[in-house]
Amino acid sequence: MKQGMFQVQCGRWALVFVLSLGITQASSGQAVVERAMAFGQAGDWDDALQTLLPQMTTTALQSDAHSWYVLGFIQKELYKTTERNDADSPFRLEAVSSLQRAWELGPSRDDATSIKAALDFLTRSYLLDAIDRVDGFTMDSDGEVLALFGRYEALVKTMDPTADVSVQKADVYRYLGLANGQLIIGLEGAQLEEEQTLFDRSVSHYEAALKLTPGNYSGLYNLAITQYNQGVRQLKRIDHETSMFELMEIQDTCVALFEQALSPMESAHKVKPERFETLKGLMTIHYALNQPEASERYRRILDGLNGKGR
């Protein structure tokens, strides 16, 4: 009987010991989190990371939403202070991963608000990086820009699967269309292969934008201008050394480009019937296609607008 009681009592001691050990581990883990937070409040983000990160492998912290939130916040601040200009910033990727882990574990109401704000900042940083890469665009940068936007889109949908980013995506495609077109202007000499590559990409980007936002005036107009200008560039290659065969080939290419430009210019005109640049574009394209009556019709409309002071 005594032996049985002794065994039960030992079992109770063992249970108490296990529970006490769990409490000690949890307390120790929280102390680490608090030390990391203290370093962060002092602006010592490196020390904050070195304090917390090695301890995140412990069972107590692995399953603690608050600990992952603090880690993600530290990584976010390190991205802001040390890697802000790095499109492939490791700290940004790690911050996103940590904050998403915190969200999945069910954070407190206050932490949930802060996590959403931090993820929103990181998400928008990818969109801003994509736009910045367009502003400083160089040849073959299309993939980098679209990859950055892809990360933005993925994060938006992680937080809200029903979110629609088609308008922002169309904007990025239009920016890329314009950027490639501007690079063509900067080409020197007869760099025909590079010119054709940039032209094809420009058209492709505008068409992708229009699939996302059909009837967009800017996309339609810029697509038409891009195609028309490419035709004009072909005509400028004709000189006294151009053979008859080459002349016929260039003329056919120009006619095809002008015809391609006509459709989006007409669509842009339907969207905004009294826009001066669209009417001028239609007048010019019809003239280039040797369609004087149509060209004259738009010229008269332009004269009427000029008479009204536009």
Side-chain angles (χ1 to χ4, degrees), residues 76-89 91-92 121-122 124-126 128-129 132-133:
K76 174 180 73 74
E77 291 302 310
L78 283 168
Y79 156 67
K80 289 169 60 178
T81 56
T82 65
E83 296 178 349
R84 191 63 178 268
N85 296 321
D86 183 0
D88 296 317
S89 164
F91 279 133
R92 177 163 57 178
F121 165 79
L122 293 168
R124 286 184 290 107
S125 75
Y126 280 113
L128 293 174
D129 276 359
D132 285 344
R133 294 305 183 278

Side-chain angles (χ1 to χ4, degrees), residues 15-29 60:
L15 178 60
V16 170
F17 176 75
V18 169
L19 290 174
S20 299
L21 180 61
I23 293 171
T24 301
Q25 288 176 339
S27 300
S28 175

Side-chain angles (χ1 to χ4, degrees), residues 107-176:
S108 67
R109 181 180 299 179
D110 288 343
D111 280 1
T113 300
S114 298
I115 290 168
K116 288 182 70 175
L119 281 173
D120 181 62
F121 165 79
L122 293 168
T123 299
R124 286 184 290 107
S125 75
Y126 280 113
L127 179 60
L128 293 174
D129 276 359
I131 294 172
D132 285 344
R133 294 305 183 278
V134 175
D135 289 340
F137 191 78
T138 57
M139 187 144 181
D140 298 327
S141 295
D142 310 69
E144 181 184 6
V145 172
L146 292 173
L148 285 166
F149 184 85
R151 291 179 183 176
Y152 163 77
E153 182 176 14
L155 282 174
V156 168
K157 290 185 178 296
T158 296
M159 298 303 294
D160 180 6
T162 66
D164 182 7
V165 298
S166 57
V167 172
Q168 297 97 313
K169 195 170 189 176
D171 285 341
V172 170
Y173 275 124
R174 280 196 297 274
Y175 296 153
L176 286 173

Side-chain angles (χ1 to χ4, degrees), residues 8 84 99 109 119 135 143 173 184 195 251 259 302:
V8 170
R84 191 63 178 268
L99 291 167
R109 181 180 299 179
L119 281 173
D135 289 340
Y173 275 124
I184 297 176
E195 178 186 295
Q251 287 178 331
E259 287 176 343
L302 282 169

Side-chain angles (χ1 to χ4, degrees), residues 47-58:
D47 287 339
L49 183 68
Q50 292 171 13
T51 298
L52 181 55
L53 185 60
Q55 302 301 317
M56 290 303 296
T57 57
T58 62

Side-chain angles (χ1 to χ4, degrees), residues 28-257:
S28 175
Q30 292 306 313
V32 169
V33 173
E34 290 173 4
R35 285 200 302 273
M37 291 172 63
F39 279 123
Q41 289 169 352
D44 297 330
W45 299 110
D46 284 325
D47 287 339
L49 183 68
Q50 292 171 13
T51 298
L52 181 55
L53 185 60
Q55 302 301 317
M56 290 303 296
T57 57
T58 62
T59 302
L61 297 190
Q62 272 284 312
S63 58
D64 180 50
H66 180 69
S67 300
W68 283 106
Y69 156 60
V70 172
L71 177 61
F73 192 89
I74 292 168
Q75 291 163 331
K76 174 180 73 74
E77 291 302 310
L78 283 168
Y79 156 67
K80 289 169 60 178
T81 56
T82 65
E83 296 178 349
R84 191 63 178 268
N85 296 321
D86 183 0
D88 296 317
S89 164
F91 279 133
R92 177 163 57 178
L93 291 171
E94 291 162 4
V96 168
S97 178
S98 297
L99 291 167
Q100 287 179 330
R101 177 65 174 155
W103 186 264
E104 291 167 358
L105 288 169
S108 67
R109 181 180 299 179
D110 288 343
D111 280 1
T113 300
S114 298
I115 290 168
K116 288 182 70 175
L119 281 173
D120 181 62
F121 165 79
L122 293 168
T123 299
R124 286 184 290 107
S125 75
Y126 280 113
L127 179 60
L128 293 174
D129 276 359
I131 294 172
D132 285 344
R133 294 305 183 278
V134 175
D135 289 340
F137 191 78
T138 57
M139 187 144 181
D140 298 327
S141 295
D142 310 69
E144 181 184 6
V145 172
L146 292 173
L148 285 166
F149 184 85
R151 291 179 183 176
Y152 163 77
E153 182 176 14
L155 282 174
V156 168
K157 290 185 178 296
T158 296
M159 298 303 294
D160 180 6
T162 66
D164 182 7
V165 298
S166 57
V167 172
Q168 297 97 313
K169 195 170 189 176
D171 285 341
V172 170
Y173 275 124
R174 280 196 297 274
Y175 296 153
L176 286 173
L178 183 60
N180 278 276
Q182 289 175 333
L183 284 185
I184 297 176
I185 298 172
L187 288 178
E188 297 180 1
Q191 301 179 51
L192 299 182
E193 185 176 348
E194 290 86 348
E195 178 186 295
Q196 187 63 44
T197 297
L198 291 169
F199 170 73
D200 290 341
R201 287 177 183 168
S202 183
V203 169
S204 176
H205 291 317
Y206 283 128
E207 290 176 342
L210 287 167
K211 285 181 179 179
L212 292 167
T213 53
N216 178 269
Y217 176 83
S218 176
L220 290 166
Y221 176 77
N222 286 327
L223 173 58
I225 288 298
T226 298
Q227 292 167 325
Y228 173 78
N229 286 342
Q230 184 69 358
V232 172
R233 277 189 285 270
Q234 310 314 306
L235 286 176
K236 289 181 177 180
R237 293 199 172 93
I238 299 173
D239 57 25
H240 64 281
E241 295 182 353
T242 304
S243 68
M244 183 60 67
F245 176 78
E246 290 172 331
L247 178 61
M248 294 173 63
E249 187 176 24
I250 290 173
Q251 287 178 331
D252 288 343
T253 300
C254 291
V255 169
L257 287 165

